[in-house]
Amino acid sequence: MITAGIFKSLKSTIFLSFRRGMAFTEAKIRVEDVNINYVRVGSGDKAVLLMPGALGSARTDFGPQIDQLPSLLPNYTIIGWDPPGYGKSVPPRRLFTVDFFHNDAKYAHKLMEKLAFPTYSILGWSDGGITGLIQAAKHPGAVENLVIWGSNAYVDPKEVQIYESIRDVSKWSERMRKPMEEVYGKQEFPKLWSEWIDTLLTIYKEKDGNLCKELLKDIHCPTLILHGEKDPMIVPEHVPFLMDKIKGARLRSFPDGKHNIHLRYAQEFNQEVANFLIKSPKL
């Protein structure tokens, strides 16, 4: 979701990456009909794909992970991507349809194939976690490990009220709003945000809120669910639901964590992720 102070964090990230001798790249690559923007740091044979939240990108959502994970995971290459219509993967303008999570999963998988990583792990935040669930289910031979947080497999009635309560971005604090305005512009950002909300409400009305419930049984890779117990964006019921439906899923909670635990508790979060990936069995 939306975070604050990210652009300052990214500048520090790039500087630190070069200072530590890490190979840092930001580039675009053609994936089907879209030029996908991505960042790449580290040079390990294995790969981790960072999946951003709503309207997010590698730049807006994952500064501490781009900075810290290469040191914690020296055998991994860290890839952060901007989904089609997000961040620097514009054009095209983002098109929100009821199957946009599935479309993102398709593009993300093809991106990793283009980057010559036939197998990879996923770190998915919020919307990126939903995309990751779909990706792991549809590409079981490719996704080695899955880590998600702030994510859900369906829209709960209480979340409809949450979405409506945050629709008007003019009521947000400047520090919450400004990063997205810098990416999309002051006129375009409110439109995109409302379209995102409208699409989730359509999914709630037309698909009984189902995002990917039927696919959870098809996830067979080691899965870690990280959860901020004070997350205001998802209802708590999602955690036991995911734990019940994803065979062998593990849970690590942050008692005071909210939606952005990977930023608020970056060092602890990143170490937890690194431990999980290092110790997880191979497919």
Side-chain angles (χ1 to χ4, degrees), residues 41-63:
V41 61
S43 56
D45 295 333
K46 291 178 170 291
V48 174
L49 176 61
L50 309 177
M51 310 277 275
L55 276 66
S57 64
R59 284 180 172 270
T60 58
D61 289 10
F62 291 115

Side-chain angles (χ1 to χ4, degrees), residues 151-152 154 156 158-159 227 234-243:
S151 303
N152 47 312
Y154 60 90
D156 184 272
K158 296 174 186 174
E159 288 159 346
H227 175 56
I234 60 170
V235 296
E237 289 85 347
H238 288 301
V239 174
F241 182 84
L242 293 170
M243 292 293 294

Side-chain angles (χ1 to χ4, degrees), residues 25 32 64-65 68 77 86-87 105 112 141 168 188 233 240 280:
T25 301
E32 292 197 342
Q65 284 65 53
Q68 298 174 21
T77 296
Y86 282 4
M112 297 307 283
D168 186 354
E188 184 68 3
M233 292 301 301
S280 288

Side-chain angles (χ1 to χ4, degrees), residues 2-7 9 60 173-177 179 260 263:
I2 306 305
T3 61
I6 302 302
F7 289 93
S9 173
T60 58
S173 67
E174 183 179 2
R175 71 183 182 88
M176 296 290 284
R177 186 177 64 246
N260 62 342
L263 302 175

Side-chain angles (χ1 to χ4, degrees), residues 57-259:
S57 64
R59 284 180 172 270
T60 58
D61 289 10
F62 291 115
Q65 284 65 53
I66 294 170
D67 178 24
Q68 298 174 21
L69 285 179
S71 296
L72 294 171
L73 294 168
N75 294 327
Y76 281 80
T77 296
I78 313 301
I79 305 290
W81 85 311
D82 300 359
Y86 282 4
K88 290 187 176 181
S89 294
V90 178
R93 186 185 187 276
R94 181 66 170 193
L95 178 63
F96 288 105
T97 60
V98 292
D99 60 350
F100 78 88
F101 292 109
H102 292 261
N103 286 336
D104 282 354
K106 177 188 72 173
Y107 278 101
H109 177 66
K110 288 183 177 294
L111 168 67
M112 297 307 283
E113 288 184 326
K114 280 269 191 175
L115 295 176
F117 289 110
T119 59
Y120 52 90
S121 296
I122 289 175
L123 268 63
W125 178 35
S126 194
D127 276 20
I130 299 169
T131 303
L133 291 168
I134 296 168
Q135 211 163 322
K138 290 194 170 184
H139 303 283
V143 179
E144 294 184 307
N145 301 282
L146 175 65
V147 181
I148 62 170
W149 64 104
S151 303
N152 47 312
Y154 60 90
V155 178
D156 184 272
K158 296 174 186 174
E159 288 159 346
V160 172
Q161 301 174 18
I162 293 172
Y163 300 150
E164 288 291 5
S165 71
I166 58 174
R167 180 189 290 271
D168 186 354
V169 299
S170 69
K171 295 180 180 179
W172 294 11
S173 67
E174 183 179 2
R175 71 183 182 88
M176 296 290 284
R177 186 177 64 246
K178 188 174 180 180
M180 287 299 170
E181 290 179 342
E182 292 185 10
V183 173
Y184 298 105
K186 292 184 178 180
Q187 300 300 317
E188 184 68 3
F189 168 52
K191 296 177 184 177
L192 287 170
W193 186 247
S194 277
E195 289 171 19
W196 176 79
I197 291 174
D198 288 340
T199 302
L200 288 178
L201 297 184
T202 298
I203 292 172
Y204 176 74
K205 294 174 183 176
E206 297 183 358
K207 301 182 67 177
D208 196 27
N210 183 26
L211 299 171
C212 60
K213 290 191 294 184
E214 73 285 358
L215 294 178
L216 300 183
K217 68 182 187 304
D218 299 323
I219 298 174
H220 303 296
C221 65
T223 300
L224 174 63
I225 298 170
L226 298 167
H227 175 56
E229 294 183 11
K230 296 181 179 179
D231 190 334
M233 292 301 301
I234 60 170
V235 296
E237 289 85 347
H238 288 301
V239 174
F241 182 84
L242 293 170
M243 292 293 294
D244 179 62
K245 299 299 182 182
I246 302 174
K247 185 177 180 180
R250 309 176 202 177
L251 174 65
R252 164 70 160 86
S253 292
F254 291 73
D256 293 320
K258 296 184 179 179
H259 199 57

